[in-house]
Amino acid sequence: MATEQINAVGRRKTSVARVYLRPGTGTWSVNGRTLEAHLPRHVLQQSASRPLVATQTEGQYDVKVTVAGGGLRGQADAIRLGVARALLKINEEFRATLRAEGLLTRDPREVERKKPGRPGARKRFQFSKR
């Protein structure tokens, strides 16, 4: 039971993060690198670790993440959702705290596809009456 590993999946835009939590000292491994090496911007590091801060469980779990697709912002938000879902599996009482922080909501916004005969999804070529 001491080595019990909890896993969850988080998604954002085109990023998919598989998160594995196990009791430990609070070390992060993202694609085999540290959190700081994978997400160099401090804002993104804070975003990814926000569920642990909100539930006051920093340093209690080792976090191992495999993340693919998208950019750094999408990956950070995917990790955040994955960690929040994994914490829920550990302790259902965290639900109210995580919900209040908005950490359990999957952001549904995706890139709209480009339409035929147009330069982009919504943009149109310049209209000429004559």
Side-chain angles (χ1 to χ4, degrees):
M1 191 83 177
T3 58
E4 185 182 338
Q5 184 170 271
I6 306 293
N7 66 315
V9 176
R11 292 185 181 90
R12 169 78 166 92
K13 292 188 177 182
T14 57
S15 301
V16 180
R18 286 188 289 285
V19 178
Y20 305 92
L21 285 188
R22 72 169 34 151
T25 57
T27 58
W28 280 78
S29 169
V30 182
N31 290 354
R33 303 155 70 190
T34 63
L35 182 67
E36 292 75 25
H38 190 78
L39 300 173
R41 297 210 312 264
H42 184 67
V43 175
L44 299 180
Q45 294 166 23
Q46 275 184 321
S47 176
S49 58
R50 210 163 129 216
L52 295 172
V53 175
T55 56
Q56 296 166 359
T57 52
E58 282 178 296
Q60 293 180 26
Y61 298 101
D62 288 343
V63 184
K64 183 176 178 284
V65 181
T66 310
V67 65
L72 291 181
R73 175 90 242 178
Q75 289 190 355
D77 288 352
I79 292 169
R80 182 176 75 186
L81 181 60
V83 171
R85 286 178 172 173
L87 283 170
L88 259 195
K89 287 183 181 179
I90 291 170
N91 186 351
E92 189 63 36
E93 292 171 11
F94 289 150
R95 184 176 292 277
T97 311
L98 293 169
R99 175 67 64 204
E101 294 271 333
L103 299 175
L104 294 177
T105 307
R106 200 289 199 196
D107 192 336
R109 296 176 294 175
E110 299 274 340
V111 176
E112 189 174 336
R113 80 177 199 84
K114 183 192 171 297
K115 312 300 186 306
R118 297 205 200 150
R122 303 221 169 166
K123 190 176 181 186
R124 287 163 163 79
F125 293 111
Q126 185 171 332
F127 176 75
S128 172
K129 197 167 186 175
R130 281 178 197 91

